[in-house]
Amino acid sequence: MTVFSSASTQDTKGTVYVVDDDDAIRDSLRWLLEANDYKVELYDSGESFIAKYDPNAIAVLVLDVRMPGMSGLEVQEHLLARKADLPIIFITGHGDVPMAVRALKKGAVDFIEKPFQQAALKAQVEHMLAEARERRMKNERQSLNEALLAKLTPREQQVLERIVAGRLNKQIADDLGISIKTVEAHRASIMDKTNSGTVADLMRVVMDTSQPAKFLDGTQK
């Protein structure tokens, strides 16, 4: 019987998408993964998966290579075209070296032949979901910090560039042709808008963005 605590654990751990046209394989994987508290969604074709895929989910895809209609490699191509950041573990009963190389070169994280070892598959799923959760946390931190920096006025951004370059208030004032008191006012505003208590905090905000070089390389001598 499903209980709320189990569902909460599954949501936290992420989702495992299983796409395979073999009923027995899908059922076997569901049993294996749900027994380990994973949320599992099963699809019998590439087309049905693509129609339901949620790009915002923390997830990993366990994908059969050879299926009627859309093949696993074609599903991979579709996801690449959408720039989907979804780890893929390919499984197949008809694997060969060129197919494995092609899949791995395009970003698949593993290529497992049927019958696969359950412990190895479970370990790979856990590893990739842990990485997916870390990427989500990193992306959320970057978005938050970029939103904080976006609050700065153009002048405050100029002051910030010089703060991260290690320039003193007097040097910043000389650079920008403003008074030291004005620099101090801008510094106080920058610290407030970025929720920074110290310069070290401010540096962490700047460095934990998708483009820290925009501030690090933008200083004028």
Side-chain angles (χ1 to χ4, degrees):
M1 181 177 67
T2 302
V3 295
F4 290 111
S5 60
S6 176
S8 176
T9 300
Q10 290 177 345
D11 290 341
T12 301
K13 294 181 77 169
T15 300
V16 183
Y17 298 118
V18 177
V19 182
D20 197 306
D21 63 312
D22 187 320
D23 293 345
I25 293 293
R26 291 198 309 275
D27 290 342
S28 173
L29 286 170
R30 180 198 286 276
W31 176 85
L32 169 68
L33 296 167
E34 288 188 345
N36 288 276
D37 285 330
Y38 291 107
K39 179 182 178 182
V40 182
E41 293 186 16
L42 303 181
Y43 299 92
D44 61 5
S45 69
E47 291 87 346
S48 61
F49 165 70
I50 291 298
K52 297 280 188 171
Y53 167 57
D54 177 8
N56 295 314
I58 297 174
V60 63
L61 172 59
V62 180
L63 179 62
D64 190 20
V65 172
R66 298 181 186 267
M67 296 180 289
M70 199 174 194
S71 73
L73 295 178
E74 288 172 332
V75 171
Q76 183 188 32
E77 293 281 0
H78 177 89
L79 293 171
L80 287 171
R82 290 175 60 175
K83 294 181 169 48
D85 187 18
L86 178 64
I88 301 175
I89 301 171
F90 275 107
I91 55 173
T92 181
H94 310 279
D96 57 30
V97 172
M99 187 182 297
V101 170
R102 177 182 170 190
L104 292 169
K105 279 186 174 180
K106 290 178 178 286
V109 296
D110 209 345
F111 192 100
I112 301 174
E113 287 191 78
K114 302 173 187 175
F116 48 83
Q117 294 185 343
Q118 292 186 345
L121 178 62
K122 180 171 73 71
Q124 185 63 280
V125 165
E126 173 59 33
H127 174 67
M128 296 316 302
L129 280 177
E131 288 197 357
R133 289 192 295 271
E134 178 59 30
R135 282 198 302 274
R136 172 61 61 81
M137 291 174 61
K138 179 180 178 181
N139 290 339
E140 288 177 349
R141 286 196 304 269
Q142 286 183 345
S143 296
L144 173 60
N145 289 335
E146 286 165 3
L148 294 176
L149 294 176
K151 296 178 182 179
L152 304 183
T153 66
R155 177 63 89 187
E156 287 169 347
Q157 290 188 15
Q158 290 177 324
V159 172
L160 174 60
E161 290 169 1
R162 287 157 176 81
I163 292 173
V164 299
R167 292 181 70 74
L168 303 175
N169 285 356
K170 184 178 185 309
Q171 294 172 313
I172 296 173
D174 290 341
D175 287 344
L176 301 178
I178 56 180
S179 70
I180 294 178
K181 285 187 177 296
T182 300
V183 172
E184 291 172 346
H186 285 316
R187 283 186 77 121
S189 178
I190 291 167
M191 301 296 276
D192 181 61
K193 289 180 178 180
T194 60
N195 298 326
S196 299
T198 66
V199 172
D201 293 336
L202 181 61
M203 288 295 295
R204 280 190 284 271
V205 171
V206 171
M207 295 303 297
D208 204 359
T209 62
S210 60
Q211 294 181 306
K214 181 173 67 173
F215 295 94
L216 297 175
D217 298 339
T219 55
Q220 300 174 19
K221 302 296 185 183

